[in-house]
Amino acid sequence: MHFTIKKEKAKDGVTNVYAVVTVNKERLRFALKHYVKVENWDSGKGGLRIKVPEAKETNAYLEQVEFTITTYYQQLQIAGKEVPSWFLTRAVNYGLQKC
């Protein structure tokens, strides 16, 4: 899993952050409810550049998203259930609303 942005969808230099997850050889990309300035995005790291004031908060949010996705995925695997990629989208949206 990793995070990315779509520069071409930016409005006034701001765009959504997207989570990209591959499950069962199926790649799923979904927009998070988090926006960043294109100029502050570090594509190699998949987060905001460290020197940006909002980097700590944004990068912590991205870590929480990754943790949530990984947790749901592992719980389903342990239970012996197949993990549909669409489920992770719903799990993240539900799980992060509770935080």
Side-chain angles (χ1 to χ4, degrees):
M1 121 162 245
H2 68 276
F3 299 101
T4 187
I5 62 171
K6 291 185 178 180
K7 293 179 184 178
E8 65 276 4
K9 291 202 173 199
K11 292 182 183 176
D12 298 323
V14 177
T15 188
N16 274 88
V17 176
Y18 292 82
V20 181
V21 182
T22 304
V23 178
N24 302 326
K25 298 181 183 178
E26 180 182 347
R27 181 170 282 179
L28 174 70
R29 179 188 306 223
F30 56 95
L32 302 176
K33 296 174 184 176
H34 199 84
Y35 296 86
V36 296
K37 291 182 181 178
V38 173
E39 65 191 32
N40 295 337
W41 186 256
D42 183 343
S43 58
K45 183 179 155 221
L48 284 185
R49 291 188 171 98
I50 294 173
K51 294 183 180 182
V52 178
E54 62 271 16
K56 187 174 183 179
E57 180 181 330
T58 295
N59 291 336
Y61 170 77
L62 296 177
E63 287 177 13
Q64 180 63 42
V65 170
E66 185 172 9
F67 176 79
T68 301
I69 290 172
T70 303
T71 301
Y72 279 112
Y73 182 78
Q74 289 174 344
Q75 287 174 349
L76 288 170
Q77 280 192 318
I78 289 169
K81 297 181 180 177
E82 188 174 326
V83 184
S85 57
W86 59 265
F87 178 78
L88 295 176
T89 305
R90 291 185 183 163
V92 168
N93 290 332
Y94 176 74
L96 292 177
Q97 288 173 359
K98 291 176 19 182
C99 293

